[in-house]
Structure formats: C-alpha cells, structure tokens
Amino acid sequence: MRALVIDDARTIRAIITQILQELGMEVVQAKNGREGLTRLYADTGINLILVDWNMPEMNGLEFIQAVRAQREFHSVRIMMVTVTTETEQEQVSRALAAGADEYVMKPFTREILVAKLSLLDALAE
C-alpha cells in the first residue's frame, strides 16, 4: 500500500505518516492540494490519500474534485482529515459527495485512524 498524506501542518503530516509506516505503508507527503496533485501524477502507485480540508493554494475539496475528475484515479481511496466544528460537518458532507470515501476528525487517535483505514480495506494489501 502506498499512501499520499496532504496537510499544510508539518506535525499532522508527521503523525499520520508515522502511523501509516507502522502499518507497513510507504508514504509520500505534500503540504497542499496543488503539491498533492503533482505528487499523485508523478507516482502512479499511490492507492490511498489522506487529505486535509483547509490548506493554502488548493484545499481538500478542490483536490478531491480534481482527482475524481480523472478516470485513472477513480479506484484511489480518499480519506478527508478535518477538525471538529459544526461548519466542518457540512464540509465533510460536501467532501463525501465530491468523492471522498471516508473521513476522520482531528484530533484523532491511532486506533481511530486504523479503524477508518479498515473501513476502506486499506490494511489488507
């Protein structure tokens, strides 16, 4: 399993990366959606993406829409990573409608992230 972690917060990228690597995944990182698209286009082996909502240059929703608009990425599993507020709940719904497969709310524990990855069958490969 090869994952792309997209978040403008270096700490969040590091936390998610560490968890995914402990689960045996290879991880590529990006600090915003635009950089994430560049990394995705360059690395056709990516089959899981965890993307933050609020980022400069290209937010998570715009990223998901760009990915889902391209047929070759329809099978890539996408998880939205967002903070817990009422406004964010609306954003999660929009992200799921745009093509996100799952979401996880910040702050999250390792167990919660693993459970969400399990729902995506992202741990079986």
Coordinates of all heavy atoms in Angstrom, one line a residue, residues 12-63:
I12 N 1.0 17.3 11.7 CA -0.1 16.4 11.3 C 0.4 15.4 10.3 O 0.2 14.2 10.4 CB -1.3 17.1 10.8 CG1 -1.9 18.0 12.0 CG2 -2.4 16.1 10.3 CD1 -2.4 17.2 13.2
R13 N 1.2 15.9 9.3 CA 1.8 15.0 8.3 C 2.7 14.0 8.9 O 2.6 12.8 8.6 CB 2.6 15.8 7.3 CG 1.7 16.6 6.3 CD 2.5 17.1 5.1 NE 3.8 17.6 5.3 CZ 4.1 18.9 5.5 NH1 3.1 19.8 5.5 NH2 5.3 19.3 5.7
A14 N 3.5 14.4 9.9 CA 4.4 13.5 10.6 C 3.7 12.5 11.4 O 4.0 11.3 11.4 CB 5.3 14.3 11.5
I15 N 2.6 12.9 12.1 CA 1.8 11.9 12.9 C 1.2 10.9 12.0 O 1.3 9.7 12.3 CB 0.8 12.6 13.7 CG1 1.4 13.5 14.9 CG2 -0.2 11.7 14.3 CD1 0.5 14.5 15.5
I16 N 0.5 11.3 11.0 CA -0.2 10.4 10.1 C 0.9 9.5 9.4 O 0.7 8.3 9.3 CB -1.0 11.1 9.0 CG1 -2.2 11.8 9.7 CG2 -1.6 10.2 8.0 CD1 -3.0 12.8 8.8
T17 N 1.9 10.1 8.9 CA 3.0 9.3 8.3 C 3.5 8.2 9.2 O 3.7 7.0 8.7 CB 4.1 10.2 7.8 OG1 3.6 11.1 6.8 CG2 5.3 9.4 7.2
Q18 N 3.8 8.5 10.4 CA 4.3 7.5 11.3 C 3.3 6.4 11.5 O 3.7 5.2 11.5 CB 4.6 8.2 12.7 CG 5.2 7.2 13.7 CD 5.6 7.8 15.0 OE1 5.6 9.0 15.2 NE2 5.8 7.0 16.0
I19 N 2.1 6.7 11.7 CA 1.1 5.6 11.9 C 1.0 4.7 10.6 O 1.0 3.5 10.7 CB -0.3 6.2 12.2 CG1 -0.3 6.9 13.6 CG2 -1.4 5.2 12.1 CD1 -1.5 7.8 13.8
L20 N 1.0 5.4 9.5 CA 0.9 4.6 8.2 C 2.1 3.7 8.0 O 2.0 2.6 7.6 CB 0.7 5.5 7.0 CG -0.7 6.3 7.0 CD1 -0.7 7.2 5.8 CD2 -1.9 5.4 7.1
Q21 N 3.3 4.3 8.3 CA 4.5 3.5 8.2 C 4.6 2.3 9.2 O 5.0 1.2 8.8 CB 5.7 4.4 8.4 CG 6.0 5.3 7.2 CD 7.1 6.3 7.3 OE1 7.5 6.6 8.5 NE2 7.6 6.8 6.2
E22 N 4.1 2.5 10.4 CA 4.0 1.4 11.4 C 3.1 0.3 10.9 O 3.2 -0.8 11.2 CB 3.5 2.0 12.7 CG 4.5 2.8 13.4 CD 3.9 3.5 14.7 OE1 2.7 3.4 15.0 OE2 4.7 4.2 15.4
L23 N 2.1 0.7 10.0 CA 1.2 -0.3 9.4 C 1.8 -0.9 8.2 O 1.1 -1.7 7.5 CB -0.2 0.4 9.1 CG -1.0 0.9 10.3 CD1 -2.1 1.7 9.9 CD2 -1.4 -0.3 11.2
G24 N 3.0 -0.6 7.8 CA 3.7 -1.2 6.7 C 3.5 -0.4 5.4 O 3.8 -1.0 4.3
M25 N 3.0 0.8 5.4 CA 2.7 1.5 4.2 C 3.9 2.4 3.8 O 4.6 2.9 4.7 CB 1.5 2.4 4.3 CG 0.2 1.7 4.5 SD -1.2 2.8 4.5 CE -2.4 1.8 5.3
E26 N 4.1 2.6 2.5 CA 5.0 3.6 2.0 C 4.3 4.9 2.0 O 3.1 4.9 1.6 CB 5.6 3.3 0.6 CG 6.4 2.0 0.6 CD 6.8 1.7 -0.8 OE1 7.2 2.6 -1.5 OE2 6.8 0.5 -1.2
V27 N 4.9 6.0 2.3 CA 4.2 7.3 2.4 C 4.9 8.4 1.6 O 6.1 8.5 1.8 CB 4.0 7.8 3.9 CG1 3.2 9.1 3.9 CG2 3.3 6.7 4.7
V28 N 4.2 9.2 0.9 CA 4.6 10.4 0.2 C 3.8 11.5 0.8 O 2.7 11.4 1.2 CB 4.3 10.3 -1.3 CG1 4.7 11.5 -2.0 CG2 4.9 9.1 -1.9
Q29 N 4.5 12.7 1.0 CA 3.8 13.8 1.6 C 3.7 15.0 0.7 O 4.6 15.2 -0.2 CB 4.6 14.2 2.9 CG 4.7 13.2 4.0 CD 5.4 13.8 5.2 OE1 5.7 15.0 5.3 NE2 5.6 12.9 6.2
A30 N 2.7 15.9 1.0 CA 2.6 17.1 0.3 C 2.0 18.1 1.3 O 1.2 17.7 2.2 CB 1.7 17.0 -0.9
K31 N 2.3 19.4 1.1 CA 1.8 20.4 2.0 C 0.6 21.2 1.6 O 0.1 22.0 2.3 CB 3.0 21.4 2.4 CG 3.5 22.2 1.2 CD 4.7 23.0 1.5 CE 5.2 23.6 0.3 NZ 6.6 24.0 0.4
N32 N 0.1 20.9 0.4 CA -1.2 21.5 -0.1 C -1.7 20.6 -1.2 O -1.1 19.8 -1.7 CB -1.1 23.0 -0.4 CG -0.1 23.2 -1.6 OD1 -0.2 22.6 -2.6 ND2 0.9 24.0 -1.3
G33 N -3.0 20.9 -1.6 CA -3.6 20.1 -2.7 C -2.9 20.2 -4.0 O -2.8 19.2 -4.7
R34 N -2.4 21.4 -4.3 CA -1.7 21.5 -5.6 C -0.4 20.6 -5.7 O -0.2 19.9 -6.6 CB -1.3 23.0 -5.9 CG -0.8 23.2 -7.3 CD -0.8 24.7 -7.7 NE -2.0 25.4 -7.4 CZ -3.2 25.3 -8.0 NH1 -3.4 24.4 -8.9 NH2 -4.2 26.1 -7.6
E35 N 0.4 20.7 -4.6 CA 1.5 19.8 -4.5 C 1.1 18.3 -4.4 O 1.8 17.5 -5.0 CB 2.3 20.2 -3.2 CG 3.6 19.4 -3.1 CD 4.4 19.8 -1.8 OE1 4.5 21.0 -1.5 OE2 5.0 18.9 -1.2
G36 N 0.0 18.1 -3.8 CA -0.5 16.7 -3.7 C -0.8 16.2 -5.1 O -0.5 15.0 -5.4
L37 N -1.5 17.0 -6.0 CA -1.8 16.6 -7.3 C -0.5 16.3 -8.1 O -0.4 15.3 -8.8 CB -2.5 17.6 -8.1 CG -4.0 17.7 -7.8 CD1 -4.7 18.9 -8.6 CD2 -4.7 16.4 -8.1
T38 N 0.5 17.1 -7.9 CA 1.8 16.9 -8.6 C 2.4 15.6 -8.2 O 2.9 14.8 -9.0 CB 2.8 18.1 -8.3 OG1 2.2 19.3 -8.7 CG2 4.1 17.8 -8.9
R39 N 2.4 15.3 -6.9 CA 2.9 14.0 -6.4 C 2.1 12.8 -6.9 O 2.7 11.8 -7.2 CB 2.9 14.0 -4.9 CG 3.8 15.1 -4.3 CD 4.9 14.6 -3.4 NE 5.5 15.6 -2.6 CZ 6.6 16.2 -3.0 NH1 7.2 15.9 -4.1 NH2 7.2 17.2 -2.2
L40 N 0.8 13.0 -6.9 CA -0.1 11.9 -7.4 C 0.2 11.6 -8.9 O 0.3 10.4 -9.3 CB -1.5 12.3 -7.2 CG -2.6 11.2 -7.7 CD1 -2.4 9.9 -6.9 CD2 -4.0 11.8 -7.5
Y41 N 0.3 12.6 -9.7 CA 0.6 12.5 -11.1 C 2.0 11.8 -11.4 O 2.1 11.0 -12.3 CB 0.6 13.8 -11.9 CG -0.8 14.5 -11.9 CD1 -0.8 15.9 -11.9 CD2 -2.0 13.8 -11.8 CE1 -2.0 16.5 -11.9 CE2 -3.2 14.4 -11.8 CZ -3.2 15.8 -11.9 OH -4.4 16.5 -11.9
A42 N 2.9 12.1 -10.5 CA 4.3 11.6 -10.6 C 4.4 10.1 -10.1 O 5.4 9.4 -10.4 CB 5.3 12.5 -9.9
D43 N 3.5 9.7 -9.3 CA 3.6 8.4 -8.6 C 2.3 7.6 -8.8 O 1.4 7.7 -8.0 CB 3.9 8.6 -7.1 CG 4.2 7.3 -6.4 OD1 3.9 6.2 -6.9 OD2 4.8 7.4 -5.2
T44 N 2.3 6.9 -9.9 CA 1.0 6.1 -10.2 C 0.8 5.0 -9.2 O -0.3 4.3 -9.3 CB 1.1 5.6 -11.6 OG1 2.3 4.8 -11.8 CG2 1.1 6.8 -12.6
G45 N 1.7 4.7 -8.3 CA 1.5 3.6 -7.4 C 0.7 4.0 -6.1 O 0.4 3.1 -5.3
I46 N 0.3 5.2 -6.0 CA -0.5 5.7 -4.8 C -1.9 5.1 -4.9 O -2.5 5.3 -5.9 CB -0.5 7.2 -4.7 CG1 1.0 7.7 -4.4 CG2 -1.5 7.7 -3.7 CD1 1.1 9.2 -4.5
N47 N -2.3 4.5 -3.8 CA -3.7 3.9 -3.8 C -4.5 4.4 -2.6 O -5.6 3.9 -2.4 CB -3.7 2.4 -4.0 CG -2.6 1.7 -3.2 OD1 -2.1 2.3 -2.2 ND2 -2.3 0.5 -3.5
L48 N -3.9 5.2 -1.8 CA -4.6 5.8 -0.6 C -4.2 7.2 -0.4 O -3.0 7.5 -0.5 CB -4.3 5.0 0.6 CG -4.8 5.5 1.9 CD1 -6.3 5.5 2.0 CD2 -4.2 4.7 3.1
I49 N -5.1 8.1 -0.2 CA -4.8 9.5 0.0 C -5.5 10.0 1.3 O -6.7 9.7 1.4 CB -5.3 10.4 -1.1 CG1 -4.6 10.0 -2.4 CG2 -5.0 11.9 -0.8 CD1 -5.1 10.6 -3.7
L50 N -4.8 10.6 2.2 CA -5.4 11.3 3.3 C -5.2 12.8 3.1 O -4.0 13.2 3.0 CB -4.7 10.8 4.6 CG -5.1 9.4 5.0 CD1 -4.1 8.4 4.4 CD2 -5.1 9.2 6.5
V51 N -6.2 13.6 3.1 CA -6.1 15.0 2.7 C -6.8 15.9 3.7 O -8.0 15.6 4.1 CB -6.6 15.2 1.2 CG1 -8.1 14.8 1.1 CG2 -6.4 16.6 0.8
D52 N -6.2 16.9 4.1 CA -6.7 17.9 5.0 C -7.7 18.8 4.2 O -7.6 18.9 3.0 CB -5.6 18.8 5.5 CG -6.0 19.8 6.6 OD1 -7.1 19.6 7.2 OD2 -5.4 20.9 6.7
W53 N -8.6 19.5 4.9 CA -9.6 20.4 4.2 C -9.0 21.7 4.0 O -8.9 22.2 2.9 CB -10.9 20.5 5.1 CG -11.8 21.4 4.4 CD1 -11.8 22.8 4.4 CD2 -12.9 21.1 3.5 NE1 -12.8 23.3 3.6 CE2 -13.5 22.3 3.1 CE3 -13.4 19.9 3.1 CZ2 -14.6 22.3 2.3 CZ3 -14.5 19.9 2.3 CH2 -15.1 21.1 1.9
N54 N -8.5 22.4 5.1 CA -8.1 23.8 5.0 C -6.6 23.8 4.7 O -5.8 23.5 5.6 CB -8.4 24.5 6.3 CG -9.9 24.6 6.5 OD1 -10.6 25.1 5.6 ND2 -10.3 24.2 7.7
M55 N -6.3 24.2 3.5 CA -4.9 24.4 3.1 C -4.8 25.5 2.1 O -5.7 25.8 1.4 CB -4.4 23.1 2.4 CG -4.4 21.9 3.2 SD -3.8 20.4 2.3 CE -5.2 20.2 1.2
P56 N -3.6 26.1 2.0 CA -3.4 27.2 1.0 C -3.3 26.6 -0.4 O -3.0 25.4 -0.5 CB -2.0 27.8 1.5 CG -1.3 26.8 2.2 CD -2.4 25.9 2.9
E57 N -3.4 27.4 -1.4 CA -3.3 27.1 -2.8 C -4.4 26.2 -3.4 O -5.0 26.6 -4.4 CB -1.9 26.5 -3.1 CG -0.8 27.5 -2.9 CD 0.5 27.0 -3.4 OE1 0.6 26.4 -4.5 OE2 1.5 27.2 -2.7
M58 N -4.6 25.1 -2.7 CA -5.7 24.2 -3.2 C -6.2 23.5 -1.9 O -5.5 22.7 -1.3 CB -5.3 23.2 -4.2 CG -6.4 22.2 -4.6 SD -5.8 21.0 -5.8 CE -6.1 21.9 -7.4
N59 N -7.5 23.6 -1.6 CA -8.0 23.0 -0.4 C -8.4 21.5 -0.7 O -8.3 21.1 -1.8 CB -9.2 23.7 0.3 CG -10.4 23.7 -0.6 OD1 -10.7 22.7 -1.2 ND2 -11.2 24.8 -0.5
G60 N -8.7 20.8 0.4 CA -9.0 19.4 0.2 C -10.2 19.1 -0.7 O -10.1 18.1 -1.5
L61 N -11.2 19.9 -0.7 CA -12.4 19.7 -1.5 C -12.0 19.8 -3.0 O -12.3 19.0 -3.8 CB -13.5 20.6 -1.2 CG -14.8 20.4 -2.0 CD1 -15.4 19.1 -1.9 CD2 -15.8 21.5 -1.7
E62 N -11.3 20.9 -3.3 CA -10.8 21.1 -4.7 C -9.9 20.0 -5.1 O -10.0 19.5 -6.3 CB -10.0 22.5 -4.7 CG -10.9 23.7 -4.5 CD -10.1 24.9 -4.2 OE1 -9.0 24.9 -3.7 OE2 -10.7 26.0 -4.5
F63 N -9.1 19.5 -4.2 CA -8.2 18.4 -4.5 C -9.0 17.1 -4.9 O -8.8 16.5 -5.9 CB -7.2 18.1 -3.3 CG -6.4 16.8 -3.6 CD1 -5.2 16.9 -4.3 CD2 -6.8 15.6 -3.1 CE1 -4.5 15.7 -4.5 CE2 -6.1 14.5 -3.3 CZ -4.9 14.5 -4.0

